[in-house]
Amino acid sequence: MMQAIVYFVTLPFIYILAWLPFSVLYVISDLLFIVLYYVVRYRRKTVNRNLQKSFPDKNAKEIKLIEIKFYRYLCDLLLETLKTLVISKNTLLKRCQLDNQALSLMQQYFNEQKSVLIVLGHYGNWEWAGNTFSLLCKQPLYVLYHPIKNKYFNKLIYNMRTRFGVRLIPMKDAYKEMIKCRNEINATAFIADQTPPPENAYWTKFLNQDTPVYWGTELIAKKLNLPVLYFKVKRMRRGYYTIYAEELIKEPAQTHAGQISELHIRKLEMDIQECPEIWLWSHKRWKHTKPN
């Protein structure tokens, strides 16, 4: 009952925000930053700790600058995500584009009648990226996701993410659903910087810290022998993005344990070091300790 009350009370405000023009939305984002950063202090300790450990060679002033830039971007990302509820196809494609090389790569795999596995991180606007892919590429796009507990908000987010053709797969059903679609030429996207249980993870050094990585991305790629591509969602300026693609492995079945995981985690690490403020630093990425 409480889930329904919260949902129906907040829904009108969500749509009011979503229908606002971008110029007004970014003014609200600037105000939201002040509230989130200075008043609520949302996960300030987590963000600061993550940044200090990830960039031990940076001084306190440099860390503070990245921290502030991150919170400003987090507010933009939140409102841009809400905008996805009502954004038009033309506006989306104007603001989030697929690089020509990425388009050519996807067309090449479609011509070869090969499905692919896409790996990306919580970097840039990953929500817009999926919708842009679905509008521009011939392959159906499946995206793994974690359903949220509030069934009303879960349905809202599900509808938002699938507006332009993206198909969602609960993460726990990933392999089973991909097997069902083996005869279809498609693309499946894994957001691979989430935190798995430590005892069942591949461990590596990432941003100067022991970090667990889901084995699932690598194991599924090897079992189905799907080419693995890395996608980068680069922020060009406020509210505008370009998606780049790079082929990591063409024949995953031939790789050794950990090879695919190392390849995509190193790519993400390089992107974060290049532009750290657009990665999700508020995520408790390092909450687990590496087992002995």
Side-chain angles (χ1 to χ4, degrees):
M1 185 64 179
M2 183 55 68
Q3 287 187 353
I5 292 172
V6 172
Y7 173 75
F8 287 110
V9 167
T10 58
L11 191 62
F13 297 100
I14 290 172
Y15 271 95
I16 288 170
L17 284 171
W19 279 111
L20 291 174
F22 277 100
S23 56
V24 177
L25 213 58
Y26 288 129
V27 171
I28 293 173
S29 178
D30 292 339
L31 297 174
L32 181 61
F33 161 73
I34 295 170
V35 175
L36 204 66
Y37 189 74
Y38 291 105
V39 181
V40 178
R41 299 179 65 86
Y42 173 71
R43 292 194 175 183
R44 284 272 299 270
K45 290 182 180 178
T46 297
V47 171
N48 188 265
R49 181 171 62 249
N50 286 344
L51 286 170
Q52 285 187 22
K53 290 185 176 181
S54 298
F55 301 108
D57 55 336
K58 293 188 182 297
N59 59 41
K61 186 177 179 180
E62 291 171 315
I63 294 293
K64 187 74 170 179
L65 181 60
I66 297 172
E67 181 181 295
I68 289 173
K69 285 183 175 180
F70 161 70
Y71 276 96
R72 288 190 179 278
Y73 178 65
L74 182 64
C75 295
D76 280 5
L77 180 63
L78 173 62
L79 295 177
E80 287 170 5
T81 300
L82 293 182
K83 191 72 175 175
T84 315
L85 288 165
V86 299
I87 197 170
S88 70
K89 172 183 172 180
N90 289 338
T91 301
L92 176 64
L93 293 180
K94 179 182 175 184
R95 288 179 168 270
C96 187
Q97 302 175 349
L98 203 58
D99 173 63
N100 286 334
Q101 185 180 354
L103 275 170
S104 297
L105 187 60
M106 297 313 303
Q107 183 63 49
Q108 173 193 325
Y109 275 112
F110 184 81
N111 293 343
E112 294 173 1
Q113 294 291 281
K114 287 184 179 179
S115 293
V116 298
L117 191 153
I118 295 169
V119 183
L120 68 161
H122 287 98
Y123 183 85
N125 193 325
W126 61 89
E127 297 285 356
W128 281 7
N131 287 306
T132 295
F133 182 101
S134 288
L135 289 170
L136 296 179
C137 297
K138 294 180 180 178
Q139 296 92 332
L141 177 66
Y142 293 86
V143 177
L144 304 190
Y145 82 113
H146 286 294
I148 61 176
K149 292 180 180 179
N150 187 312
K151 64 180 182 180
Y152 301 98
F153 281 108
N154 186 66
K155 185 177 179 182
L156 179 72
I157 292 171
Y158 185 95
N159 291 338
M160 178 190 76
R161 288 175 170 171
T162 58
R163 276 190 69 209
F164 298 109
V166 173
R167 306 174 187 182
L168 299 182
I169 301 176
M171 186 167 281
K172 64 182 179 63
D173 299 326
Y175 185 66
K176 179 179 68 175
E177 293 299 321
M178 289 177 73
I179 287 291
K180 288 181 182 178
C181 301
R182 285 191 76 169
N183 295 325
E184 178 186 57
I185 305 306
N186 59 44
T188 304
F190 288 68
I191 297 184
D193 57 354
Q194 302 184 63
T195 306
E199 63 278 3
N200 296 318
Y202 170 73
W203 283 84
T204 187
K205 283 286 185 182
F206 173 61
L207 293 172
N208 297 297
Q209 297 164 82
D210 288 325
T211 306
V213 179
Y214 271 106
W215 270 115
T217 308
E218 177 167 332
L219 294 179
I220 290 174
K222 292 177 74 169
K223 282 183 178 180
L224 302 180
N225 200 29
L226 295 176
V228 180
L229 312 180
Y230 174 76
F231 272 42
K232 171 185 178 179
V233 187
K234 183 176 181 180
R235 191 191 198 199
M236 311 308 288
R237 63 185 192 277
R238 195 176 201 182
Y240 290 86
Y241 302 86
T242 299
I243 307 163
Y244 297 91
E246 183 177 344
E247 186 179 75
L248 296 184
I249 291 285
K250 208 160 191 174
E251 297 288 341
Q254 310 297 324
T255 61
H256 58 76
Q259 184 177 346
I260 295 172
S261 297
E262 284 295 332
L263 282 170
H264 70 71
I265 208 73
R266 295 285 79 83
K267 289 291 180 185
L268 178 60
E269 185 176 56
M270 288 172 61
D271 290 341
I272 294 169
Q273 289 168 342
E274 178 188 335
C275 186
E277 63 265 23
I278 64 171
W279 190 55
L280 197 59
W281 293 100
S282 53
H283 177 46
K284 294 183 179 180
R285 188 67 181 86
W286 294 282
K287 61 185 177 183
H288 297 306
T289 303
K290 183 178 180 179
N292 293 328

